[in-house]
Amino acid sequence: MGELLGSIWWLIVSLGVLVTFHEFGHYWVARRCGVKVLRFSVGFGKPLWMRRGRDGTEYAIAAIPLGGYVKMLDEREGDVAPAEAAQAFNRQSVFRRIAIVAAGPIANLLLCVALLWAMFVVGRPDYAPVLGQVEGIAAEAGLERGDTVLAVGERATPTWSEVQMALLPAALDRVAVPVAIRDAAGGERTVDLPLDRLPAEFDERRAIEVIGLSPRHMEVPAVVGRVVPDSAAADVLMEGDRITAFDGARVDGWDDIGLLAQAVGERGQPAMIEVERQGERLALEILPRRMQDDTGTDYWALGIASARPALPEKDALLRHGPLEAVPAAVHEGLHQAGELLDMIGRAFTGRVAVENTVAGPVTIARAANAYADQGLAWYLSLLALLSLSLGILNLLPIPILDGGHLLYYLIELVKGSPVSDRVMAAGQYVGLALIAGLMGLAFYNDIVNNLVR
Protein backbone atom coordinates (compact mmCIF):
# COMPACT_ATOMS: atom_id res chain seq x y z
CA MET A 1 0.00 0.00 0.00
CA GLY A 2 1.47 3.37 -1.05
CA GLU A 3 2.08 6.11 1.49
CA LEU A 4 -0.84 8.24 0.23
CA LEU A 5 -3.40 5.43 0.23
CA GLY A 6 -2.01 4.07 3.48
CA SER A 7 -2.26 7.47 5.15
CA ILE A 8 -5.86 7.93 4.00
CA TRP A 9 -6.81 4.44 5.13
CA TRP A 10 -5.28 4.73 8.60
CA LEU A 11 -6.75 8.21 9.06
CA ILE A 12 -10.23 6.83 8.34
CA VAL A 13 -9.68 3.84 10.64
CA SER A 14 -8.31 6.03 13.45
CA LEU A 15 -11.07 8.62 13.27
CA GLY A 16 -13.67 5.88 12.95
CA VAL A 17 -12.52 4.19 16.16
CA LEU A 18 -12.17 7.43 18.14
CA VAL A 19 -15.44 8.96 17.01
CA THR A 20 -17.39 5.73 17.50
CA PHE A 21 -16.23 5.42 21.12
CA HIS A 22 -16.83 9.13 21.78
CA GLU A 23 -20.37 9.09 20.45
CA PHE A 24 -21.08 5.73 22.06
CA GLY A 25 -20.31 7.36 25.41
CA HIS A 26 -23.00 9.98 24.78
CA TYR A 27 -25.40 7.33 23.45
CA TRP A 28 -24.93 4.81 26.26
CA VAL A 29 -25.42 7.32 29.08
CA ALA A 30 -28.33 9.02 27.29
CA ARG A 31 -30.16 5.70 27.02
CA ARG A 32 -29.48 4.95 30.69
CA CYS A 33 -30.92 8.35 31.57
CA GLY A 34 -34.12 7.64 29.63
CA VAL A 35 -33.38 9.96 26.68
CA LYS A 36 -34.52 8.85 23.24
CA VAL A 37 -31.70 8.80 20.69
CA LEU A 38 -32.88 9.56 17.15
CA ARG A 39 -29.61 8.94 15.29
CA PHE A 40 -26.12 7.63 16.00
CA SER A 41 -23.88 8.68 13.09
CA VAL A 42 -20.20 8.04 12.48
CA GLY A 43 -19.23 10.74 9.99
CA PHE A 44 -21.08 13.74 8.62
CA GLY A 45 -23.08 14.34 5.46
CA LYS A 46 -25.07 11.90 3.38
CA PRO A 47 -25.37 8.43 4.98
CA LEU A 48 -23.59 5.68 3.05
CA TRP A 49 -25.17 3.02 5.23
CA MET A 50 -28.10 3.18 7.65
CA ARG A 51 -30.38 0.90 9.56
CA ARG A 52 -33.01 1.43 12.24
CA GLY A 53 -32.71 -0.50 15.48
CA ARG A 54 -35.56 -1.94 17.48
CA ASP A 55 -35.20 0.98 19.87
CA GLY A 56 -36.06 3.38 17.03
CA THR A 57 -32.52 4.77 16.75
CA GLU A 58 -31.06 5.23 13.26
CA TYR A 59 -27.50 3.93 13.04
CA ALA A 60 -25.55 5.48 10.17
CA ILE A 61 -22.11 5.72 8.57
CA ALA A 62 -21.84 8.98 6.66
CA ALA A 63 -19.69 10.13 3.74
CA ILE A 64 -17.35 12.56 5.55
CA PRO A 65 -15.32 10.56 8.12
CA LEU A 66 -14.13 13.58 10.11
CA GLY A 67 -16.40 13.32 13.12
CA GLY A 68 -19.81 12.08 14.12
CA TYR A 69 -22.82 12.90 16.27
CA VAL A 70 -25.62 11.56 18.41
CA LYS A 71 -28.95 13.27 17.77
CA MET A 72 -31.33 13.11 20.72
CA LEU A 73 -34.97 14.00 21.07
CA ASP A 74 -35.07 17.69 22.04
CA GLU A 75 -37.98 20.13 22.12
CA ARG A 76 -35.66 22.97 21.10
CA GLU A 77 -34.94 21.28 17.77
CA GLY A 78 -38.42 20.22 16.68
CA ASP A 79 -41.88 19.13 17.70
CA VAL A 80 -42.04 16.36 20.26
CA ALA A 81 -45.11 14.21 20.81
CA PRO A 82 -46.58 14.65 24.31
CA ALA A 83 -46.18 10.93 24.94
CA GLU A 84 -42.41 11.23 24.35
CA ALA A 85 -41.81 14.54 26.12
CA ALA A 86 -40.32 12.86 29.17
CA GLN A 87 -37.66 11.30 26.88
CA ALA A 88 -36.47 14.69 25.53
CA PHE A 89 -32.95 15.76 26.41
CA ASN A 90 -34.00 19.25 27.45
CA ARG A 91 -36.47 17.81 30.00
CA GLN A 92 -33.73 16.01 31.94
CA SER A 93 -32.28 17.30 35.18
CA VAL A 94 -29.08 19.32 34.94
CA PHE A 95 -27.13 16.46 36.52
CA ARG A 96 -28.35 14.01 33.88
CA ARG A 97 -27.47 16.45 31.10
CA ILE A 98 -24.00 16.87 32.59
CA ALA A 99 -23.56 13.09 32.70
CA ILE A 100 -24.69 12.67 29.08
CA VAL A 101 -22.44 15.44 27.74
CA ALA A 102 -19.40 14.41 29.81
CA ALA A 103 -19.76 10.78 28.76
CA GLY A 104 -18.22 11.38 25.31
CA PRO A 105 -14.87 12.78 26.50
CA ILE A 106 -14.79 10.30 29.38
CA ALA A 107 -15.22 7.46 26.87
CA ASN A 108 -12.16 8.72 25.00
CA LEU A 109 -10.13 8.92 28.22
CA LEU A 110 -11.11 5.36 29.14
CA LEU A 111 -10.32 4.22 25.61
CA CYS A 112 -6.87 5.81 25.95
CA VAL A 113 -6.14 3.71 29.04
CA ALA A 114 -7.50 0.56 27.36
CA LEU A 115 -5.32 1.13 24.29
CA LEU A 116 -2.24 1.74 26.45
CA TRP A 117 -3.00 -1.48 28.33
CA ALA A 118 -3.20 -3.37 25.03
CA MET A 119 0.04 -1.74 23.86
CA PHE A 120 1.86 -2.84 27.03
CA VAL A 121 0.51 -6.39 26.75
CA VAL A 122 1.38 -6.72 23.05
CA GLY A 123 4.80 -5.17 23.65
CA ARG A 124 6.22 -2.20 21.76
CA PRO A 125 9.60 -2.93 20.14
CA ASP A 126 12.06 -0.07 20.35
CA TYR A 127 15.74 0.75 20.65
CA ALA A 128 17.75 0.55 23.84
CA PRO A 129 18.40 3.98 25.43
CA VAL A 130 22.13 3.88 24.69
CA LEU A 131 23.92 7.07 23.67
CA GLY A 132 25.95 7.41 20.50
CA GLN A 133 27.77 10.64 19.67
CA VAL A 134 27.58 13.14 22.57
CA GLU A 135 28.49 16.81 22.22
CA GLY A 136 27.45 20.30 23.28
CA ILE A 137 25.54 20.72 26.52
CA ALA A 138 25.26 16.95 27.05
CA ALA A 139 29.01 16.39 26.72
CA GLU A 140 29.80 19.30 29.06
CA ALA A 141 27.45 17.78 31.64
CA GLY A 142 29.45 14.54 31.60
CA LEU A 143 27.39 12.24 29.40
CA GLU A 144 29.47 9.95 27.19
CA ARG A 145 29.08 7.62 24.24
CA GLY A 146 27.95 4.18 25.41
CA ASP A 147 26.03 5.49 28.46
CA THR A 148 22.62 3.89 28.99
CA VAL A 149 19.95 6.36 30.14
CA LEU A 150 18.05 4.78 33.03
CA ALA A 151 15.81 7.71 33.98
CA VAL A 152 15.21 11.38 33.22
CA GLY A 153 14.01 13.12 36.34
CA GLU A 154 11.52 10.75 37.96
CA ARG A 155 10.55 9.05 34.68
CA ALA A 156 12.14 5.67 33.95
CA THR A 157 13.42 5.34 30.38
CA PRO A 158 13.52 1.68 29.31
CA THR A 159 13.64 2.67 25.61
CA TRP A 160 15.01 5.49 23.49
CA SER A 161 11.49 6.81 22.80
CA GLU A 162 11.00 7.25 26.55
CA VAL A 163 14.23 9.27 26.70
CA GLN A 164 12.96 11.60 23.99
CA MET A 165 9.53 12.02 25.59
CA ALA A 166 11.10 12.74 28.98
CA LEU A 167 13.69 15.25 27.74
CA LEU A 168 11.40 17.28 25.45
CA PRO A 169 9.25 18.94 28.19
CA ALA A 170 12.34 19.86 30.20
CA ALA A 171 13.94 21.30 27.07
CA LEU A 172 10.84 23.35 26.24
CA ASP A 173 10.72 24.69 29.80
CA ARG A 174 14.52 25.15 29.82
CA VAL A 175 15.00 23.62 33.25
CA ALA A 176 17.92 21.54 34.49
CA VAL A 177 17.04 17.88 34.88
CA PRO A 178 18.87 14.97 36.57
CA VAL A 179 19.69 12.06 34.27
CA ALA A 180 20.44 8.64 35.77
CA ILE A 181 22.82 6.63 33.62
CA ARG A 182 24.79 3.39 33.57
CA ASP A 183 28.15 3.63 31.85
CA ALA A 184 29.71 1.03 29.57
CA ALA A 185 31.58 -0.48 32.53
CA GLY A 186 28.36 -1.01 34.51
CA GLY A 187 28.76 1.84 36.99
CA GLU A 188 25.74 4.03 37.72
CA ARG A 189 25.70 7.77 38.37
CA THR A 190 23.42 10.80 38.04
CA VAL A 191 24.28 13.74 35.80
CA ASP A 192 22.62 17.15 36.00
CA LEU A 193 21.75 18.14 32.44
CA PRO A 194 21.63 21.99 32.32
CA LEU A 195 18.80 22.49 29.83
CA ASP A 196 18.40 26.01 31.18
CA ARG A 197 21.42 26.81 28.99
CA LEU A 198 19.57 26.00 25.76
CA PRO A 199 19.24 28.86 23.24
CA ALA A 200 16.32 31.24 23.67
CA GLU A 201 14.89 29.90 20.41
CA PHE A 202 15.43 26.55 18.75
CA ASP A 203 13.49 24.09 16.59
CA GLU A 204 11.52 22.05 19.13
CA ARG A 205 11.45 19.12 16.71
CA ARG A 206 15.26 18.96 16.94
CA ALA A 207 15.45 19.34 20.71
CA ILE A 208 17.45 16.14 21.31
CA GLU A 209 19.96 17.14 18.65
CA VAL A 210 20.27 20.66 20.08
CA ILE A 211 20.98 19.17 23.51
CA GLY A 212 23.85 17.30 21.89
CA LEU A 213 22.55 13.74 22.07
CA SER A 214 22.17 11.07 19.45
CA PRO A 215 21.21 7.41 19.98
CA ARG A 216 23.57 4.56 19.30
CA HIS A 217 21.23 3.00 16.75
CA MET A 218 21.42 6.12 14.57
CA GLU A 219 25.20 6.06 14.39
CA VAL A 220 26.65 5.48 10.94
CA PRO A 221 29.40 2.82 11.05
CA ALA A 222 32.85 3.90 9.93
CA VAL A 223 32.68 1.98 6.65
CA VAL A 224 33.85 3.61 3.43
CA GLY A 225 31.10 3.68 0.82
CA ARG A 226 32.86 5.80 -1.81
CA VAL A 227 36.30 7.29 -2.39
CA VAL A 228 36.45 10.69 -4.12
CA PRO A 229 38.94 10.67 -7.07
CA ASP A 230 42.06 12.82 -6.61
CA SER A 231 41.40 13.13 -2.86
CA ALA A 232 43.60 12.30 0.10
CA ALA A 233 42.00 8.86 0.33
CA ALA A 234 42.50 7.99 -3.36
CA ASP A 235 44.98 5.08 -3.68
CA VAL A 236 44.93 4.71 0.13
CA LEU A 237 41.44 3.62 1.14
CA MET A 238 38.99 1.38 -0.70
CA GLU A 239 35.23 0.96 -0.73
CA GLY A 240 34.25 -1.40 2.07
CA ASP A 241 37.14 -0.52 4.38
CA ARG A 242 36.08 -0.35 8.03
CA ILE A 243 38.08 2.36 9.79
CA THR A 244 38.95 1.29 13.34
CA ALA A 245 41.48 3.95 14.40
CA PHE A 246 42.92 7.24 13.12
CA ASP A 247 45.99 9.01 14.45
CA GLY A 248 46.07 6.64 17.41
CA ALA A 249 42.46 7.38 18.43
CA ARG A 250 39.75 4.73 18.36
CA VAL A 251 37.02 5.24 15.76
CA ASP A 252 33.57 4.04 16.90
CA GLY A 253 31.43 5.71 14.24
CA TRP A 254 31.52 7.84 11.13
CA ASP A 255 31.23 11.11 13.04
CA ASP A 256 34.59 10.47 14.71
CA ILE A 257 36.46 10.59 11.39
CA GLY A 258 35.67 14.22 10.55
CA LEU A 259 36.84 15.52 13.94
CA LEU A 260 40.10 13.57 13.73
CA ALA A 261 40.69 14.69 10.13
CA GLN A 262 40.46 18.34 11.22
CA ALA A 263 43.08 17.79 13.95
CA VAL A 264 45.48 15.94 11.64
CA GLY A 265 45.01 18.49 8.86
CA GLU A 266 45.74 21.42 11.17
CA ARG A 267 48.90 19.70 12.35
CA GLY A 268 50.05 19.31 8.74
CA GLN A 269 51.71 15.92 9.10
CA PRO A 270 50.54 12.51 7.85
CA ALA A 271 48.92 10.15 10.35
CA MET A 272 48.26 6.43 10.41
CA ILE A 273 44.75 5.21 9.70
CA GLU A 274 43.89 1.63 10.66
CA VAL A 275 41.31 -0.31 8.64
CA GLU A 276 39.83 -3.76 8.32
CA ARG A 277 39.85 -4.87 4.68
CA GLN A 278 38.62 -8.30 3.61
CA GLY A 279 39.55 -9.82 6.96
CA GLU A 280 42.95 -8.15 7.19
CA ARG A 281 44.00 -5.34 9.52
CA LEU A 282 46.02 -2.65 7.76
CA ALA A 283 47.78 0.51 8.94
CA LEU A 284 48.05 3.14 6.19
CA GLU A 285 49.52 6.63 6.04
CA ILE A 286 47.25 9.50 5.05
CA LEU A 287 47.22 13.31 5.10
CA PRO A 288 43.88 15.19 4.84
CA ARG A 289 43.50 17.86 2.17
CA ARG A 290 41.64 21.15 2.14
CA MET A 291 38.16 20.98 0.55
CA GLN A 292 35.16 23.30 0.33
CA ASP A 293 31.55 22.65 1.26
CA ASP A 294 28.49 24.02 -0.54
CA THR A 295 28.79 27.36 1.27
CA GLY A 296 32.42 27.85 0.26
CA THR A 297 33.81 27.10 3.72
CA ASP A 298 37.20 25.35 3.79
CA TYR A 299 37.72 22.22 5.87
CA TRP A 300 40.11 19.29 6.11
CA ALA A 301 38.83 16.04 4.63
CA LEU A 302 39.95 12.60 3.54
CA GLY A 303 37.60 12.52 0.55
CA ILE A 304 35.41 9.58 1.50
CA ALA A 305 31.67 9.05 1.84
CA SER A 306 29.93 6.67 4.21
CA ALA A 307 28.10 3.49 3.36
CA ARG A 308 24.81 4.25 5.10
CA PRO A 309 23.07 1.04 6.16
CA ALA A 310 19.45 0.48 7.03
CA LEU A 311 18.49 0.95 10.67
CA PRO A 312 19.50 -2.01 12.86
CA GLU A 313 16.97 -4.36 14.39
CA LYS A 314 15.24 -3.00 17.47
CA ASP A 315 16.86 -4.31 20.62
CA ALA A 316 14.45 -3.29 23.40
CA LEU A 317 10.85 -4.17 24.21
CA LEU A 318 8.45 -2.11 26.32
CA ARG A 319 6.15 -4.79 27.70
CA HIS A 320 4.16 -5.76 30.82
CA GLY A 321 2.03 -8.73 31.81
CA PRO A 322 -1.78 -8.34 31.69
CA LEU A 323 -2.10 -7.50 35.41
CA GLU A 324 1.02 -5.35 35.62
CA ALA A 325 -0.14 -3.47 32.53
CA VAL A 326 -3.25 -2.10 34.30
CA PRO A 327 -1.50 0.33 36.70
CA ALA A 328 1.15 0.99 34.04
CA ALA A 329 -1.55 2.07 31.56
CA VAL A 330 -3.29 4.28 34.13
CA HIS A 331 0.01 5.89 35.14
CA GLU A 332 1.03 6.46 31.52
CA GLY A 333 -2.40 7.90 30.67
CA LEU A 334 -2.20 10.36 33.56
CA HIS A 335 1.35 11.28 32.60
CA GLN A 336 0.41 11.92 28.97
CA ALA A 337 -2.63 13.95 30.06
CA GLY A 338 -0.41 16.15 32.21
CA GLU A 339 2.10 16.60 29.39
CA LEU A 340 -0.68 17.47 26.95
CA LEU A 341 -2.16 20.08 29.28
CA ASP A 342 1.33 21.51 29.84
CA MET A 343 1.83 21.70 26.07
CA ILE A 344 -1.46 23.58 25.67
CA GLY A 345 -0.29 25.98 28.37
CA ARG A 346 3.06 26.46 26.60
CA ALA A 347 1.27 27.23 23.34
CA PHE A 348 -0.98 29.86 24.96
CA THR A 349 1.97 31.51 26.72
CA GLY A 350 4.17 31.47 23.63
CA ARG A 351 6.79 29.13 25.09
CA VAL A 352 6.37 26.71 22.19
CA ALA A 353 5.62 27.36 18.53
CA VAL A 354 1.95 26.75 17.70
CA GLU A 355 2.92 24.95 14.49
CA ASN A 356 4.33 22.20 16.69
CA THR A 357 1.23 21.84 18.90
CA VAL A 358 -1.81 21.70 16.60
CA ALA A 359 -1.78 18.88 14.05
CA GLY A 360 -4.05 18.82 11.02
CA PRO A 361 -5.51 15.81 9.20
CA VAL A 362 -2.52 15.46 6.86
CA THR A 363 -0.06 15.26 9.77
CA ILE A 364 -2.30 12.84 11.66
CA ALA A 365 -2.77 10.68 8.56
CA ARG A 366 0.97 10.46 7.89
CA ALA A 367 1.69 9.70 11.55
CA ALA A 368 -0.99 6.98 11.62
CA ASN A 369 0.48 5.35 8.51
CA ALA A 370 4.04 5.56 9.87
CA TYR A 371 3.08 4.11 13.25
CA ALA A 372 0.99 1.35 11.68
CA ASP A 373 4.02 0.37 9.56
CA GLN A 374 5.99 -0.16 12.78
CA GLY A 375 3.53 -2.71 14.12
CA LEU A 376 0.36 -3.06 16.17
CA ALA A 377 1.82 -1.82 19.46
CA TRP A 378 3.11 1.40 17.92
CA TYR A 379 -0.25 2.07 16.27
CA LEU A 380 -2.06 1.43 19.56
CA SER A 381 0.20 3.97 21.30
CA LEU A 382 -0.63 6.62 18.69
CA LEU A 383 -4.35 5.82 18.84
CA ALA A 384 -4.20 6.18 22.64
CA LEU A 385 -2.60 9.62 22.31
CA LEU A 386 -5.20 10.72 19.74
CA SER A 387 -8.04 9.46 21.96
CA LEU A 388 -6.59 11.34 24.92
CA SER A 389 -6.22 14.50 22.82
CA LEU A 390 -9.81 14.23 21.58
CA GLY A 391 -11.12 13.75 25.12
CA ILE A 392 -9.21 16.71 26.56
CA LEU A 393 -9.98 18.95 23.57
CA ASN A 394 -13.69 18.30 23.98
CA LEU A 395 -13.52 19.20 27.67
CA LEU A 396 -12.15 22.67 26.94
CA PRO A 397 -14.78 25.32 27.89
CA ILE A 398 -15.40 26.36 24.29
CA PRO A 399 -19.05 26.74 23.18
CA ILE A 400 -20.22 24.03 20.71
CA LEU A 401 -17.74 21.59 22.27
CA ASP A 402 -18.80 19.31 25.12
CA GLY A 403 -16.82 21.45 27.54
CA GLY A 404 -18.81 24.52 26.48
CA HIS A 405 -22.09 22.75 27.24
CA LEU A 406 -20.72 21.61 30.59
CA LEU A 407 -19.85 25.24 31.34
CA TYR A 408 -23.47 26.26 30.62
CA TYR A 409 -24.76 23.54 32.95
CA LEU A 410 -22.38 24.55 35.74
CA ILE A 411 -23.63 28.14 35.41
CA GLU A 412 -27.17 26.78 35.57
CA LEU A 413 -26.36 24.96 38.80
CA VAL A 414 -24.99 28.18 40.32
CA LYS A 415 -27.76 30.55 39.22
CA GLY A 416 -30.61 28.08 39.52
CA SER A 417 -31.92 28.52 35.96
CA PRO A 418 -30.70 27.70 32.44
CA VAL A 419 -28.53 30.13 30.50
CA SER A 420 -30.66 32.38 28.28
CA ASP A 421 -31.12 31.58 24.60
CA ARG A 422 -29.42 34.87 23.75
CA VAL A 423 -26.29 33.97 25.72
CA MET A 424 -26.23 30.49 24.22
CA ALA A 425 -26.59 31.90 20.69
CA ALA A 426 -23.74 34.34 21.30
CA GLY A 427 -21.66 31.51 22.68
CA GLN A 428 -22.34 29.44 19.58
CA TYR A 429 -20.94 32.21 17.37
CA VAL A 430 -17.87 32.57 19.57
CA GLY A 431 -17.37 28.81 19.62
CA LEU A 432 -17.70 28.54 15.85
CA ALA A 433 -15.15 31.31 15.41
CA LEU A 434 -12.69 29.62 17.78
CA ILE A 435 -13.12 26.22 16.16
CA ALA A 436 -12.79 27.75 12.68
CA GLY A 437 -9.58 29.45 13.80
CA LEU A 438 -8.27 26.21 15.29
CA MET A 439 -9.07 24.31 12.09
CA GLY A 440 -7.44 27.03 10.02
CA LEU A 441 -4.31 26.79 12.17
CA ALA A 442 -4.31 23.00 11.80
CA PHE A 443 -4.52 23.20 8.00
CA TYR A 444 -1.86 25.93 7.95
CA ASN A 445 0.44 23.72 10.01
CA ASP A 446 -0.21 20.86 7.59
CA ILE A 447 0.88 23.05 4.68
CA VAL A 448 3.97 24.40 6.47
CA ASN A 449 5.13 21.11 7.99
CA ASN A 450 4.33 18.74 5.13
CA LEU A 451 4.50 20.76 1.93
CA VAL A 452 6.75 23.78 2.46
CA ARG A 453 9.46 22.13 4.59
Side-chain angles (χ1 to χ4, degrees):
M1 187 182 296
E3 181 180 359
L4 176 60
L5 292 178
S7 298
I8 295 173
W9 166 252
W10 287 112
L11 176 65
I12 292 173
V13 171
S14 301
L15 291 179
V17 171
L18 300 181
V19 169
T20 298
F21 270 84
H22 181 93
E23 300 304 333
F24 180 77
H26 292 309
Y27 167 84
W28 189 84
V29 175
R31 292 297 306 275
R32 296 305 176 279
C33 290
V35 175
K36 182 175 182 179
V37 178
L38 302 178
R39 177 175 290 186
F40 182 140
S41 177
V42 177
F44 296 112
K46 184 178 180 180
L48 301 177
W49 174 89
M50 180 187 294
R51 81 173 184 85
R52 185 182 297 273
R54 288 180 295 179
D55 56 1
T57 301
E58 294 177 341
Y59 300 90
I61 298 177
I64 305 175
L66 297 179
Y69 62 93
V70 169
K71 184 178 181 180
M72 300 174 226
L73 190 68
D74 196 313
E75 293 174 313
R76 297 167 300 179
E77 298 179 3
D79 295 332
V80 175
E84 296 182 327
Q87 301 180 62
F89 176 79
N90 63 290
R91 290 289 187 98
Q92 308 306 309
S93 70
V94 65
F95 292 105
R96 286 192 174 188
R97 281 178 278 144
I98 288 174
I100 293 169
V101 170
I106 290 174
N108 281 125
L109 301 181
L110 294 176
L111 175 62
C112 169
V113 175
L115 290 168
L116 289 172
W117 176 86
M119 182 269 289
F120 282 129
V121 171
V122 171
R124 191 180 71 190
D126 206 332
Y127 292 102
V130 181
L131 300 181
Q133 184 74 18
V134 179
E135 53 190 14
I137 293 175
E140 294 170 8
L143 294 173
E144 299 176 354
R145 172 192 267 126
D147 286 345
T148 299
V149 181
L150 304 177
V152 175
E154 297 180 357
R155 183 172 175 81
T157 54
T159 69
W160 179 253
S161 294
E162 303 299 311
V163 174
Q164 291 179 296
M165 289 188 289
L167 283 176
L168 180 58
L172 294 177
D173 293 335
R174 291 169 177 78
V175 295
V177 62
V179 179
I181 63 171
R182 181 173 56 241
D183 59 33
E188 296 186 5
R189 69 185 191 278
T190 298
V191 173
D192 287 324
L193 192 57
L195 300 184
D196 51 338
R197 292 170 48 194
L198 284 170
E201 294 184 4
F202 64 90
D203 187 346
E204 291 97 351
R205 295 168 301 174
R206 296 177 54 249
I208 303 301
E209 181 181 340
V210 175
I211 293 170
L213 296 175
S214 63
R216 180 184 61 184
H217 66 268
M218 291 297 291
E219 279 196 320
V220 178
V223 177
V224 178
R226 183 174 66 89
V227 178
V228 178
D230 300 322
S231 66
D235 301 324
V236 178
L237 299 177
M238 295 178 58
E239 181 179 331
D241 284 350
R242 177 179 290 275
I243 301 173
T244 58
F246 187 16
D247 194 29
R250 176 178 170 178
V251 173
D252 293 303
W254 188 263
D255 291 339
D256 294 336
I257 300 172
L259 297 174
L260 294 169
Q262 301 308 306
V264 174
E266 292 294 337
R267 194 173 65 217
Q269 295 180 351
M272 301 304 295
I273 188 166
E274 299 177 24
V275 302
E276 292 182 359
R277 179 183 297 170
Q278 298 177 351
E280 294 185 67
R281 297 181 66 88
L282 305 175
L284 309 168
E285 191 176 75
I286 195 169
L287 176 62
R289 296 180 187 175
R290 297 288 284 180
M291 299 184 70
Q292 283 190 343
D293 60 20
D294 295 337
T295 64
T297 303
D298 290 338
Y299 66 102
W300 295 99
L302 301 181
I304 55 178
S306 65
R308 293 184 175 272
L311 285 173
E313 293 293 325
K314 292 177 178 176
D315 54 359
L317 183 67
L318 182 62
R319 190 174 190 176
H320 298 297
L323 294 179
E324 185 184 8
V326 174
V330 173
H331 180 270
E332 182 63 18
L334 291 173
H335 175 79
Q336 290 191 14
E339 293 296 333
L340 184 58
L341 291 172
D342 286 343
M343 189 64 73
I344 293 173
R346 294 186 188 101
F348 275 107
T349 57
R351 287 181 292 152
V352 63
V354 290
E355 60 265 25
N356 294 328
T357 57
V358 182
V362 175
T363 300
I364 294 173
R366 294 184 65 180
N369 185 53
Y371 274 65
D373 284 344
Q374 294 186 68
L376 175 61
W378 278 96
Y379 178 67
L380 290 174
S381 67
L382 176 67
L383 203 58
L385 178 59
L386 293 176
S387 187
L388 175 67
S389 301
L390 181 60
I392 290 179
L393 176 65
N394 269 280
L395 286 173
L396 295 178
I398 299 175
I400 83 170
L401 294 181
D402 293 330
H405 292 292
L406 291 175
L407 177 61
Y408 290 148
Y409 301 148
L410 290 176
I411 294 173
E412 181 179 342
L413 280 174
V414 172
K415 67 189 291 280
S417 61
V419 175
S420 68
D421 292 341
R422 184 177 179 180
V423 170
M424 291 190 67
Q428 294 291 93
Y429 285 116
V430 172
L432 285 171
L434 290 173
I435 295 300
L438 191 62
M439 292 178 62
L441 176 60
F443 281 109
Y444 170 78
N445 288 344
D446 270 347
I447 294 172
V448 171
N449 294 328
N450 296 288
L451 299 178
V452 177
R453 293 176 178 170

